[in-house]
Amino acid sequence: APVTAGGPAAVAAAAAANPGGVVTATSAPAGTTTSSTGPTDARVRDGASPDTTSVPGRGPTGGLTGKANPLGGLSTDVPGSGDSAPEGATFMSFTASPNYQRDHQVYASGFSFQHCAATCPALFRSDDGGATWTRLPAIGFEGGVVMLPPSYPADSRVFVGGPNALKVSSDGGQVFTPLTPAGGYTAMSPAFSAGDGRILVGAIPGWIYHDDTKAVTPFDAVPESTSAALSFAYASAYPRDHRIVIGGTDASPNQNAIVSACDGSNCTPPAALAGSTGTPAVMTAKSYSRSGLAFAWTPQGLYRSTDAGSSFSPLRMPAHGQVQGLVDDGRGNLFLAVLDNDGRGGTSGGLFASRDAGTTWTRLGAGTALDHGVAGVIALPSGNLLVSPYAARGGGLQCSSDGGRTWAPRCP
C-alpha cells in the first residue's frame, strides 16, 4: 500500500514516500532538461484534506472556452476544467525538446486551479521557447512528467510517467493511453531511440516497459526487494556509462531511504540517507561519469554523493522547506526549487543557484513571487531559466534571460 510522508499540503509539496503521487522523471533523454521533483499527491492543496481530482474530459464545470491571452497563447475546446492560460496553473515539471535548438518546444505539466472545482491536471506546450503557451486537450492525462524520445520530433510520441500508469500520446498531446498497469517514478533510457527502447517504472517490484515488443517485465536490478517504491537516474553518459542510480527504502518499519548505483544487475550496497524515510528522488549531474556527482532528496533533506552513488552526505538547505526540483544546466550551475507551507496559509522557499555542487547557494528572484516558493524549474538550452512560483490558485510562470536577476511572465 502507498505510504504517505508528511510535508507541506501545497499541491507541489514533495511527498517522496508516496509512490501513488505525481511521478517524477529523475533522468531525462539526451537533449532535455527536465525538472526533478519528488512525487506529489496532486489532490492536496492549501492545507485542506485531499479532494477529488478532476479528470480531463469529465471536469465538473464542463469544457473550456477558448480565450485569447494578452501574454500570448490561445487554447480552444480543451476538455475538462481549469483555465486555458498558464496563469491559472501551478507546474511541477518542465521538459524541453531534445531538438530544442530547432523547434524551441517546451512542455509544462501541472494542475490548473482557476475555474476548477478541485485540482485539474493540465498540460501546456510552447513552440517558441516559452514566449507563448497552448493548453493541450490531454484526454486521459492525470499529471506527471513528460518524457520525449531522443529522436523527437521524428518520433513524435509524448510519454508521461503518471501516478497510476505510464502513458503515451501519438497525436501531439490530444489523447493519452496507458502502457503499464502501474505508475510511480519513471525514467526513459537515453538510448531509447537507438535500440534501447526501455522506460523504467518505479511501482514495486519495479517494471520495464519495452517499446519494441510493448511488453512489461520486472525490473532486474532492485537493490532492496522490500522497497516501498523505486526511483531512477541514468548516468549522463549512458549508454557509454551503463550505470543507473536507484532510490528505494530498506526493510525497517520506518522505511529508511536508501540509494544504490547499479551497472547492469550489479549494484553497490545500499547507501542510507541519514535521517530520511521514504523513497528519495535521485539525479545524476551532467558530469557524473567523470566526477561521480549525484544527488538525492526526500521531504527531510537534500543529499550529495561524490563517489557515483556509493555513499551520500547531507547538504545544508538554503531555506526551510522541501525540494521541489533540482536541475543541472551543464555549465557548472545547479538550480534548486524549494517550497515550504507554514500550516497557516503562508508559504515560503524560493529559487537558489549553486556553482560549487550544492555546498553554498545564492537566492535568485529576491523580492518577487519566487519568495513564496517554487514548484518547478528548468534551465532551457537557450540559457533561459523557467520556473513556476507557487500560489494557492496557480502561480503561472516566470522566466529569466539574465541568470535570475530579472523576471517576466514569459520568455523573450
Side-chain angles (χ1 to χ4, degrees):
V3 177
T4 303
V11 67
N18 179 7
V22 173
V23 294
T24 297
T26 53
S27 179
T32 67
T33 311
T34 303
S35 171
S36 299
T37 64
T40 302
D41 187 338
R43 300 167 299 173
V44 181
R45 60 182 174 87
D46 302 337
S49 299
D51 51 14
T52 302
T53 301
S54 297
V55 177
R58 293 182 292 178
T61 59
L64 284 170
T65 300
K67 60 181 181 179
N69 174 5
L71 294 172
L74 178 67
S75 182
T76 60
D77 299 327
V78 178
S81 299
D83 200 80
S84 59
E87 278 63 41
T90 294
F91 299 102
M92 269 65 74
S93 68
F94 303 94
T95 302
S97 166
N99 195 40
Y100 180 88
Q101 300 298 351
R102 292 186 177 182
D103 63 27
H104 306 292
Q105 285 192 359
V106 186
Y107 286 82
S109 170
F111 295 86
S112 183
F113 296 94
Q114 295 182 13
H115 308 116
C116 179
T119 54
C120 303
L123 183 62
F124 286 76
R125 188 185 71 216
S126 173
D127 296 323
D128 51 17
T132 60
W133 294 87
T134 299
R135 185 175 175 186
L136 303 177
I139 297 172
F141 177 74
E142 299 174 295
V145 172
V146 170
M147 295 173 289
L148 302 174
S151 62
Y152 181 91
D155 181 349
S156 62
R157 291 175 297 171
V158 179
F159 294 85
V160 171
N164 302 308
L166 169 69
K167 296 189 175 186
V168 66
S169 172
S170 299
D171 55 10
Q174 303 295 304
V175 177
F176 284 86
T177 57
L179 297 172
T180 63
Y185 287 95
T186 56
M188 175 183 284
S189 167
F192 184 86
S193 300
D196 183 14
R198 297 184 300 164
I199 299 177
L200 308 181
V201 180
I204 287 300
W207 301 95
I208 305 174
Y209 164 75
H210 302 267
D211 193 53
D212 54 349
T213 63
K214 314 305 179 188
V216 180
T217 62
F219 185 58
D220 54 4
V222 180
E224 184 59 63
S225 60
T226 58
S227 179
L230 298 176
S231 61
F232 317 95
Y234 280 92
S236 51
Y238 192 95
R240 295 193 308 274
D241 181 346
H242 281 86
R243 287 176 293 181
I244 302 176
V245 175
I246 303 173
T249 59
D250 66 15
S252 70
N254 292 333
Q255 295 185 327
N256 298 314
I258 58 172
V259 180
S260 293
C262 297
D263 189 345
S265 60
N266 299 316
C267 300
T268 61
L273 303 184
S276 280
T277 58
T279 301
V282 290
M283 186 192 86
T284 56
K286 298 292 180 64
S287 63
Y288 171 81
S289 296
R290 180 183 73 255
S291 65
L293 188 62
F295 298 88
W297 58 94
T298 71
Q300 295 88 15
L302 173 64
Y303 301 80
R304 179 178 64 191
S305 173
T306 57
D307 55 11
S310 296
S311 63
F312 283 81
S313 300
L315 290 174
R316 184 172 182 175
M317 289 280 289
H320 188 270
Q322 295 180 6
V323 177
Q324 302 301 304
L326 178 65
V327 296
D328 178 354
D329 70 353
R331 304 180 183 94
N333 300 299
L334 289 176
F335 297 97
L336 177 70
V338 179
L339 175 62
D340 181 47
N341 188 315
D342 62 12
R344 300 184 298 272
T347 59
S348 62
L351 180 68
F352 302 88
S354 175
R355 290 196 59 83
D356 54 14
T359 301
T360 60
W361 298 93
T362 301
R363 179 182 288 273
L364 302 180
T368 70
L370 276 62
D371 288 342
H372 296 291
V374 173
V377 57
I378 185 174
L380 292 172
S382 62
N384 288 346
L385 287 174
L386 182 64
V387 304
S388 179
Y390 175 75
R393 301 298 296 174
L397 300 165
Q398 288 289 306
C399 184
S400 175
S401 58
D402 56 11
R405 289 185 291 275
T406 60
W407 297 86
R410 295 291 186 274
C411 294

